[in-house]
Structures are given as C-alpha cells and as structure tokens.
Amino acid sequence: MSQATGHRLSVRLAGLGAAIALTAGSAVLATLPAQAHSVSVGDVTPTARAKAKQVLSPRLAAHAKAKRLTSLPKAPKVALTDANRGDVATVASAQQGATITVSVGTAYAGKKVSVWLFSSPKLAYKGVADSAGLISAVLPVNARPGTHKVVVFSGRTLVGWTDLQVTAVPISNLKAPSIQGKVLTGYTVKAKPGTWTPAKVTLSYQWSLDGVDVAKATRKAYTVKLSDLGKALSVTVTASRKGTDPVSVTSAPVTVTQLTFTNVTVPTIQTKAFGSKSFKKAWFGHKSHIRCAFGGQVLQVTRGEWSVKGLTFRYAWSIDGQVVKTTKSPTYKPRTADVGKQLTVTVTATKKGYAPVSVTTAPVTIQAVKAPAVSTGR
C-alpha cells in the first residue's frame, strides 16, 4: 500500500453492488468489497481514518439495507378467488405471533410447501408438510389486527387459501409503575412506567393525590407542591395499543413530606458603616436636619445562624407590629414618620424540600437625632 499520511482522502463509489475505493490523492489506500462493513487504511492519519469512516459508513449501511430488502422471500403473484380456495383449512382466529396448524390434505403429505399471510404477504412457514398434511405456521408478531388470508403454495403453485382473523396480543403489566425521586415539597419526581408486554405500547400518565386526579398533571414528571404536604401521591400509567383494550396500573402511594431545620442564632438589626455610600447618601442627601435611628444610617439585619446551609431568605420589616416592607434585601432606610416607633424584622428562611422557618428580631426603637454640623468652609 502506498504511503498517504496527511493526504486528502476521497471515496469512489461506482454504484450499488460495486466495489468501493478509498483514495488519498492518486494513491489507492483500500479497495472495499460491496458487502464491506469496516474500513482499514493502514498508514493514514487517525484524523483521516475517522473522516473516511464517517464518509463510508452511511453508504455501507444503505447498501446493507438494500441487500436485506432484495433478499427477503417473495410470495408468488396470484389472484385469490373462491374458485381456487382449495382444501386449505385452519383456525378461525389467532393472536399475533401465535402458532397455528394449517391443513393442506394428504395429497401434499411430505411435500415442500410455504405458508403466507396476505394481503401484504409475510412468510409464516417454509418446509415440508407432515404425513397427515398438516403444517405448524407462526404468524408474524407485527401482523395487523383484522381479517387476513392464509395462503399455501407448493413451489410456485397455489395449493389454496382460507380466511383468518388476526387479533392483537392483549396488554399485560409485568412490573407495576413506581415513583422515582424524593417525594418532598419543591422536588420534581418521575414515574417509572414499569414493564409491559408486548413491549411496544403507548404510555400515558395521570398523577393523583389521595386518590383524586391532579388537574393537568399528565406528564411523566411531577413537581411536588407545598399544598401537597401530607397527602398520598401516586401515578397511574395507562398502556394502549391498536387493536386491543388499554390497561391501567397505579403505583404504590407515597406520602408527601418535608424535612426540617432550625434557627440557631436569632438575626439582629444593625447599622451600616459610617463610611458607606448608602450612609452618606442617607445623611447628607436628605433635606431634613432630623435623622432616624443612630444618626440616619441605613439599617440592615443579619441572617443569624441556621442548622442547614443553602437557605433563601426574605425579610418583612415592621413598624409597631405593622409590616411596611417585604423584600429579599436585608436593608431598610427609616422614615421620619418612624421616629419613636419600634422596628422589627421577621426573617423567613426557605429551602427546597424543607418546611420554611420564620424568626423575628428583638425590637429597636427609632430615635430622632440632629444631623452633625457641616462645615461650609467660611
């Protein structure tokens, strides 16, 4: 094989069934037979080899598929009429994939025969009829439910045919559905659909609380709400398939719960540093010479200490017990109208899967003080 390291690769595909040539420039790196399913290009760089496989794989797959289709057995073409029914007999109905006994009469005992399921011909048996002229044929598992014709040939000569009603295999649950994930408020859980037969079924879902269907909860996943707390959560999986009745199975219920945490150190109200921008703005940017709470500083509340990490906080500021501000921000700028009143903050901590906890700070009385003298430079 010629050295072709680093050269540009090309592929010559003459046509379906033709050999495939892998080249780099003028050098032929490999000649692949039409039925090849792999590429080996010797000294070609790894990158080039990967590119070659990427180019060739779809073509080889298409060729293999075409070969499989052309190699499938084909039924002889014949018009089926009452006049050529013959003496073929079998059961009136059978399920998809079932084995049926077909009688062709002793005249064909020991002879080679083939059994087909029409209208779209599918081979059910190819072999020799027994001494009684009986054949055991297997119906295709994907046969369309409905009326078909069982057609028997000896070579390419029609022996006869009869009607057969093909029924769908009934759906059966082998393993019940279950709920996957933590059934805690705020968490998203998923339904494990269980195991069904036949394997190809269409699945749908319905979530329930205490046996009552939850409106619009028909997806595989469900987000547990705070209002679900204490209720029994379950999911009903329904398997359906054309030609047979749907089957529904409900998972074992799981009670919705919450984890808990506690406050270790109560939050406290503090003032921001005197050098902070917020303090200077609050102090010198206000027209009044009266300032509130420690000289007019912006107040902030600490979060305190808690028994778990990863908490989210909200703050409700109250004046004399009346909430005046609810926010995610831990700061509050007192108003002149707040002077002489008591300020408290209720800090609420939340975390997914946990019950929220609220604690309130000790009250602070807002005092009025005069602003410090401001020098004008005169």
Side-chain angles (χ1 to χ4, degrees), residues 333-370:
K333 183 178 179 180
R335 307 162 300 179
T336 304
D338 297 337
V339 173
K341 299 177 181 178
Q342 288 194 325
L343 175 69
T344 58
V345 189
T346 298
V347 180
T348 300
T350 59
K351 185 176 182 179
K352 187 173 72 172
Y354 288 78
V357 177
S358 297
V359 291
T360 303
T361 64
V364 172
T365 302
I366 299 178
Q367 303 289 337
V369 295
K370 288 186 177 182

Side-chain angles (χ1 to χ4, degrees), residues 18-357:
I20 302 169
L22 178 66
T23 65
S26 60
V28 177
L29 303 180
T31 300
L32 308 176
Q35 67 272 22
H37 289 272
S38 62
V39 177
S40 177
V41 291
D43 295 332
V44 181
T45 62
T47 301
R49 287 199 297 272
K51 186 176 292 185
K53 291 183 180 181
Q54 183 179 9
V55 170
L56 290 175
S57 292
R59 290 161 174 76
L60 294 174
H63 169 71
K65 181 178 180 181
K67 187 175 180 181
R68 286 196 302 271
L69 292 175
T70 56
S71 63
L72 290 175
K74 293 183 178 180
K77 293 183 178 180
V78 62
L80 302 177
T81 66
D82 287 338
N84 57 18
R85 272 182 175 268
D87 295 326
V88 173
T90 189
V91 293
S93 66
Q95 288 183 359
Q96 299 162 318
T99 299
I100 61 172
T101 299
V102 181
S103 173
V104 294
T106 55
Y108 289 92
K111 293 185 178 181
K112 291 183 178 180
V113 294
S114 60
V115 179
W116 297 80
L117 191 68
F118 278 51
S119 300
S120 178
K122 293 184 179 180
L123 185 63
Y125 175 82
K126 187 175 184 180
V128 178
D130 67 12
S131 58
L134 300 178
I135 305 163
S136 293
V138 179
L139 298 179
V141 293
N142 60 346
R144 174 184 51 80
T147 302
H148 293 260
K149 292 178 174 62
V150 175
V151 185
V152 182
F153 292 92
S154 179
R156 300 191 68 82
T157 302
L158 176 66
V159 174
W161 60 275
T162 188
D163 291 319
L164 174 68
Q165 187 73 21
V166 176
T167 60
V169 176
I171 298 171
S172 178
N173 178 257
L174 304 180
K175 184 179 179 181
S178 59
I179 298 174
Q180 182 180 34
K182 297 178 179 179
V183 188
L184 301 170
T185 57
Y187 276 74
T188 298
V189 294
K190 291 183 178 180
K192 294 184 68 174
T195 306
W196 301 82
T197 183
K200 290 186 177 181
V201 292
T202 301
L203 300 175
S204 59
Y205 304 88
Q206 176 62 62
W207 293 88
S208 302
L209 289 166
D210 287 344
V212 179
D213 291 350
V214 179
K216 299 181 180 180
T218 56
R219 295 186 178 182
K220 191 173 183 179
Y222 176 75
T223 300
V224 185
K225 305 176 182 62
L226 183 61
S227 59
D228 300 340
L229 183 62
K231 298 178 181 178
L233 177 69
S234 60
V235 61
T236 298
V237 180
T238 299
S240 57
R241 186 170 182 259
K242 186 177 180 180
T244 188
D245 295 330
V247 175
S248 298
V249 179
T250 302
S251 70
V254 180
T255 302
V256 178
T257 59
Q258 282 184 318
L259 301 176
T260 59
F261 61 89
T262 58
N263 173 255
V264 179
T265 302
V266 177
T268 56
I269 298 174
Q270 297 179 345
T271 57
K272 280 196 172 183
F274 271 72
S276 68
K277 292 182 179 179
S278 58
F279 162 68
K280 293 176 180 178
K281 182 178 179 181
W283 186 274
F284 298 107
H286 203 282
K287 295 181 180 179
S288 172
H289 290 291
I290 301 296
R291 290 296 177 265
C292 311
F294 310 103
Q297 297 181 66
V298 173
L299 304 178
Q300 67 179 13
V301 63
T302 65
R303 291 179 174 179
E305 295 181 0
W306 305 81
S307 60
V308 297
K309 295 181 179 180
L311 298 172
T312 300
F313 297 91
R314 287 193 68 84
Y315 307 91
W317 297 82
S318 298
I319 298 294
D320 284 348
Q322 298 296 317
V323 177
V324 294
K325 182 181 180 183
T326 301
T327 178
K328 293 181 180 179
S329 172
T331 61
Y332 178 73
K333 183 178 179 180
R335 307 162 300 179
T336 304
D338 297 337
V339 173
K341 299 177 181 178
Q342 288 194 325
L343 175 69
T344 58
V345 189
T346 298
V347 180
T348 300
T350 59
K351 185 176 182 179
K352 187 173 72 172
Y354 288 78
V357 177

Side-chain angles (χ1 to χ4, degrees), residues 5-24:
T5 304
H7 285 250
R8 182 177 180 180
L9 293 171
S10 62
V11 176
R12 293 202 300 268
L13 185 63
L16 189 62
I20 302 169
L22 178 66
T23 65

